[in-house]
């Protein structure tokens, strides 16, 4: 079996895909190893012995491997739901190495002693690029083999079970697992559109054992019968994990199925923990990251100000304030660079933004695409109204409407809103009630599993959103 095939053990309250976690490890080890090859090649072409480089090589190789692996991860190249062709992966790898080069340049500027290693790093970058493409192609062809995927049995063929067949239609949604069958239960309607539906002629535990099932997902529309409870307990005694449909979607899709969740599930489910130390650490992280980003982006903010003034006139406002709903429902004013015309909502009526919105200015189209319009929210973060990572804050008018139509919508206000968030990585720009419902599923996942580790992953992958314009409108 290829390095395990389960959604792996939970780290920082998150389920990890074992195959893709190992891919990241393999990448890091290869990037570390190519530094030794690069040092040897560099020593041949330069009047410098390999032994002279060898003393500091482990530390330099670790730095190079770490920066390159982070670059790859930021481009989504270690994500199981990445839907890209070979050309798409090539493009993302090129961008990842460009980001690595930029990061290494900054580090070498701060630590001039590393400048003497520039030649070695260039050799290493070339070798690492080739090795990463070869590794990725091998991995792409290998993970498609069914024998490397976890064998899953779904108990149920009704509405709850149809979430799997209906909302996990793409091949990339099934990395790491394969639905072997849906078990029809007497008295339950079958609405599964596709998939192998079976009616058991033997006890469930025997079927699981005979067909090498590695996980059972309970997706029944009705309560469990006593006989099924006993059989599921026997499955557990066989060492086969048994999960409900909500936990399955949380682990495999990174979302909470709001239509299937009950108040009892929110009460008893793992997660939703808020620790004082964690809150202090997150606030310190937000302040530190905010000051760093402000130092890094002030030239971009200055140029944006000039561009808005040039397009709309010297007297035109550059930044606009808009009421949004924050932590625990508190109203605050969010700051953004103005990307729409001054009279975009002259009648005072709140409107959803739409594709090719005529109210967006020429400068606005650019700064929205690159997410530059969000930069003034750094001051919201420093003021404590927002965090760097969290659900995007909504306008009070929309919150009132959405809370009436979408269950548990107010639960997203259990954490501070953010400049970027889990939903922004996993769902395109939302401009309707349906979009808000779908984004809420990802927002609730973040609220439930919030941690500094998850914040770091979101910030890292936000680079991909900015570079490729995912979800921008």
């Amino acid at each position: 079996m290829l390095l395990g095939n389960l959604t792996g053990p939970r780290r920082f309250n998150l389920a990890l895909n074992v195959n893709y976690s190992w891919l990241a490890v393999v990448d890091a080890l290869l990037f570390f190893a190519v530094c030794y090859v690069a040092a040897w090649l560099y020593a041949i072409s330069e009047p410098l012995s390999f032994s002279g480089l060898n003393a500091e090589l482990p530390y330099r190789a670790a730095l190079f491997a770490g920066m390159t692996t982070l670059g790859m991860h930021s481009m989504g190249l270690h994500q199981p739901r990445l839907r890209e062709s070979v050309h798409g992966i090539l493009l993302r790898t090129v961008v990842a190495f460009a980001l690595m080069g930029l990061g290494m340049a900054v580090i070498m500027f701060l630590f001039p002693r590393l400048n003497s290693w520039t030649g070695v790093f260039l050799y290493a970058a070339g070798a690492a690029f080739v090795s990463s493409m070869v590794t990725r192609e091998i991995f792409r062809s290998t993970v498609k083999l069914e024998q490397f995927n976890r064998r899953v049995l779904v108990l149920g063929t009704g509405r709850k079970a149809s979430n799997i067949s209906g909302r996990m239609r793409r091949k990339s949604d099934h990395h790491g697992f394969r639905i072997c069958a849906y078990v029809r239960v007497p008295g339950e309607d079958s609405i599964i559109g596709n998939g192998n539906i079976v009616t058991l002629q033997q006890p469930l535990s025997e079927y699981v054992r005979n067909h090498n099932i590695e996980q059972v997902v309970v997706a029944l529309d009705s309560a469990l019968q006593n006989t099924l409870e006993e059989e599921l307990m026997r499955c557990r005694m066989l060492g086969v994990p048994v999960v409900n449909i909500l936990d399955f979607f949380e682990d495999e899709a990174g979302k909470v199925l709001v239509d299937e969740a009950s108040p009892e599930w929110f009460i008893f489910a793992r997660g939703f923990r808020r620790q004082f130390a964690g809150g202090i650490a997150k606030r310190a992280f937000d302040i530190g990251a905010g000051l760093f980003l402000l130092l890094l982006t002030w030239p971009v903010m200055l140029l944006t100000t000039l561009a808005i003034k040039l397009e709309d006139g010297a007297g035109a406002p550059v930044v606009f304030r808009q009421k949004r709903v924050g932590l625990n429902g508190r109203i605050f004013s969010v700051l953004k660079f103005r990307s729409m015309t001054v009279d975009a909502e002259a009648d005072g009526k709140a409107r959803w933004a739409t594709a090719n919105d005529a109210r967006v200015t020429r400068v606005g189209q650019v700064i929205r695409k690159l997410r530059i319009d969000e930069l003034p929210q750094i001051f919201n973060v420093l003021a404590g109204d927002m965090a760097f990572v969290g659900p995007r804050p909504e306008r009070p008018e929309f919150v009132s409407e959405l809370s009436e139509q979408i269950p548990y919508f107010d639960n997203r206000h259990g954490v501070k809103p953010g400049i970027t968030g889990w939903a922004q990585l996993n769902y395109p720009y939302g401009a309707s009630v349906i979009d808000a419902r779908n984004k809420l599923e990802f927002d609730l996942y973040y609220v439930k599993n919030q941690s500094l580790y998850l914040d770091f992953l979101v910030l890292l992958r936000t680079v991909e959103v900015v570079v490729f314009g995912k979800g921008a409108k």
Side-chain angles (χ1 to χ4, degrees), residues 1 3 17 20 42 89 119 131 135 172 177 184 192 312 322 325 336 349 357-358 367 399 407 420-421 437 440:
M1 187 173 291
L3 303 175
N17 184 286
Y20 282 82
Y42 186 74
I89 289 177
S131 68
T135 303
S172 57
F177 73 92
R184 181 187 289 111
I192 299 295
D312 296 331
Q322 193 175 68
V325 180
K336 298 182 72 172
K349 184 178 180 180
D357 199 317
I367 63 177
V399 169
T420 185
R437 180 186 292 266
L440 176 64

Coordinates of all heavy atoms in Angstrom, one line a residue, residues 1 3 17 20 42 89 119 131 135 172 177 184 192 312 322 325 336 349 357-358 367 399 407 420-421 437 440:
M1 N 0.9 -1.2 0.0 CA 0.0 0.0 0.0 C 0.9 1.2 0.0 O 1.9 1.3 0.7 CB -0.9 0.0 1.2 CG -2.0 1.1 1.3 SD -3.1 0.9 2.6 CE -4.0 -0.6 2.1
L3 N 2.3 4.1 1.2 CA 2.5 5.0 2.3 C 1.2 5.2 3.1 O 1.0 6.3 3.6 CB 3.1 6.3 1.8 CG 4.4 6.2 1.1 CD1 4.8 7.5 0.5 CD2 5.5 5.6 1.9
N17 N -4.6 14.1 4.9 CA -4.5 13.0 3.9 C -3.1 12.5 3.9 O -2.2 13.2 3.7 CB -4.9 13.6 2.6 CG -4.9 12.5 1.5 OD1 -3.9 12.0 1.1 ND2 -6.2 12.2 1.1
Y20 N -0.9 12.6 0.6 CA -0.4 13.9 0.3 C 0.5 14.5 1.4 O 1.4 15.3 1.1 CB -1.5 14.9 0.0 CG -2.1 14.6 -1.4 CD1 -3.0 13.6 -1.6 CD2 -1.7 15.4 -2.5 CE1 -3.5 13.4 -2.9 CE2 -2.2 15.2 -3.8 CZ -3.1 14.2 -4.0 OH -3.6 13.9 -5.2
Y42 N 28.9 22.3 -8.0 CA 29.4 23.6 -7.9 C 30.9 23.5 -7.5 O 31.7 24.4 -8.0 CB 28.7 24.4 -6.8 CG 29.1 25.8 -6.7 CD1 28.7 26.8 -7.6 CD2 29.9 26.3 -5.6 CE1 29.1 28.1 -7.6 CE2 30.2 27.6 -5.5 CZ 29.8 28.5 -6.5 OH 30.2 29.8 -6.4
I89 N -0.1 22.0 -13.4 CA 0.9 21.7 -12.4 C 2.3 22.3 -12.7 O 3.0 22.8 -11.8 CB 1.0 20.1 -12.2 CG1 -0.3 19.6 -11.5 CG2 2.2 19.8 -11.3 CD1 -0.3 18.1 -11.3
G119 N 25.5 30.4 -5.9 CA 25.7 29.4 -7.0 C 25.2 28.1 -6.7 O 24.6 27.4 -7.5
S131 N 13.3 17.2 -10.3 CA 13.0 16.1 -9.4 C 11.5 16.3 -8.9 O 10.8 15.3 -8.8 CB 13.9 16.1 -8.1 OG 13.7 17.2 -7.3
T135 N 8.7 13.4 -9.6 CA 8.0 12.9 -8.4 C 6.5 13.1 -8.6 O 5.7 12.2 -8.3 CB 8.5 13.6 -7.1 OG1 9.9 13.4 -7.0 CG2 7.8 13.0 -5.9
S172 N -11.2 14.2 -8.3 CA -10.4 14.8 -7.3 C -11.0 14.8 -5.9 O -10.3 15.0 -4.9 CB -10.0 16.2 -7.7 OG -11.1 17.0 -7.9
F177 N -9.8 7.6 -1.1 CA -10.9 6.6 -0.8 C -11.7 6.2 -2.0 O -11.7 7.0 -3.0 CB -11.8 7.2 0.3 CG -12.7 8.3 -0.1 CD1 -14.0 8.0 -0.6 CD2 -12.4 9.6 -0.1 CE1 -14.9 8.9 -1.0 CE2 -13.2 10.6 -0.6 CZ -14.5 10.3 -1.0
R184 N -28.5 -0.7 1.1 CA -29.9 -0.4 1.3 C -30.4 -1.0 2.6 O -30.2 -2.1 2.9 CB -30.7 -1.0 0.1 CG -32.2 -0.6 0.2 CD -33.0 -1.4 -0.9 NE -32.7 -0.8 -2.2 CZ -32.1 -1.5 -3.2 NH1 -31.6 -2.7 -2.9 NH2 -31.9 -0.9 -4.4
I192 N -30.1 7.3 -4.5 CA -28.8 7.4 -5.0 C -28.8 7.3 -6.6 O -29.4 6.3 -7.1 CB -27.9 6.2 -4.5 CG1 -27.8 6.3 -3.0 CG2 -26.5 6.3 -5.1 CD1 -27.1 7.6 -2.5
D312 N -10.3 59.1 -10.7 CA -11.6 59.7 -10.3 C -11.4 61.1 -9.8 O -12.4 61.7 -9.4 CB -12.2 58.9 -9.1 CG -12.6 57.5 -9.5 OD1 -12.9 57.3 -10.7 OD2 -12.5 56.5 -8.7
Q322 N -17.5 50.6 5.5 CA -18.8 49.9 5.3 C -19.1 49.1 6.6 O -18.2 48.5 7.1 CB -18.7 49.0 4.1 CG -20.1 48.5 3.7 CD -20.0 47.7 2.4 OE1 -19.4 46.7 2.4 NE2 -20.5 48.3 1.3
V325 N -20.6 42.9 10.2 CA -20.9 42.2 11.4 C -19.6 41.4 11.9 O -19.1 40.6 11.1 CB -22.1 41.2 11.3 CG1 -22.4 40.5 12.6 CG2 -23.3 42.0 10.8
K336 N -11.7 49.5 3.1 CA -11.3 48.9 1.9 C -10.9 50.1 0.9 O -11.5 51.2 1.0 CB -12.4 48.1 1.2 CG -12.8 46.9 2.1 CD -13.9 46.1 1.4 CE -13.4 45.3 0.2 NZ -14.3 44.4 -0.4
K349 N -29.4 51.3 -0.9 CA -29.8 49.9 -0.8 C -28.6 49.0 -1.0 O -27.8 49.1 -2.0 CB -30.8 49.6 -2.0 CG -31.4 48.2 -2.0 CD -32.4 48.0 -3.0 CE -33.0 46.6 -3.0 NZ -34.0 46.4 -4.1
D357 N -19.5 43.5 -12.8 CA -20.3 44.6 -12.2 C -20.0 45.9 -12.8 O -18.8 46.4 -12.8 CB -20.1 44.6 -10.7 CG -21.2 45.3 -10.0 OD1 -21.6 46.3 -10.4 OD2 -21.6 44.8 -8.9
A358 N -21.0 46.6 -13.4 CA -20.7 47.9 -14.1 C -20.3 49.0 -13.1 O -19.8 50.0 -13.5 CB -22.0 48.3 -14.8
I367 N -7.4 46.0 -8.7 CA -7.1 45.8 -7.3 C -8.0 44.7 -6.7 O -7.6 44.1 -5.7 CB -7.2 47.1 -6.5 CG1 -8.7 47.7 -6.5 CG2 -6.2 48.2 -7.0 CD1 -8.9 49.0 -5.7
V399 N -26.8 39.8 6.6 CA -26.8 38.9 7.8 C -28.2 38.6 8.2 O -28.6 37.5 8.5 CB -25.9 39.4 8.9 CG1 -26.1 38.6 10.2 CG2 -24.4 39.3 8.6
P407 N -29.7 27.7 8.1 CA -29.5 27.3 9.5 C -28.1 27.5 10.0 O -27.1 27.3 9.2 CB -29.9 25.8 9.5 CG -29.7 25.4 8.0 CD -30.0 26.6 7.2
T420 N -8.7 37.0 5.1 CA -8.8 35.8 4.2 C -9.4 34.7 5.1 O -9.4 34.8 6.3 CB -7.5 35.4 3.6 OG1 -7.7 34.3 2.7 CG2 -6.5 35.0 4.7
G421 N -9.8 33.6 4.5 CA -10.4 32.5 5.3 C -10.4 31.2 4.5 O -10.1 31.1 3.3
R437 N -24.8 29.9 1.6 CA -25.0 28.6 2.2 C -23.8 27.7 2.0 O -23.3 27.0 3.0 CB -26.2 27.9 1.7 CG -26.5 26.5 2.3 CD -27.7 25.9 1.6 NE -28.9 26.6 1.9 CZ -29.8 26.3 2.9 NH1 -29.5 25.3 3.7 NH2 -30.9 27.0 3.0
L440 N -20.8 29.0 4.0 CA -21.0 28.7 5.4 C -20.5 27.4 5.8 O -19.9 27.2 6.9 CB -22.5 28.9 5.8 CG -22.8 28.6 7.2 CD1 -22.2 29.6 8.2 CD2 -24.4 28.6 7.5

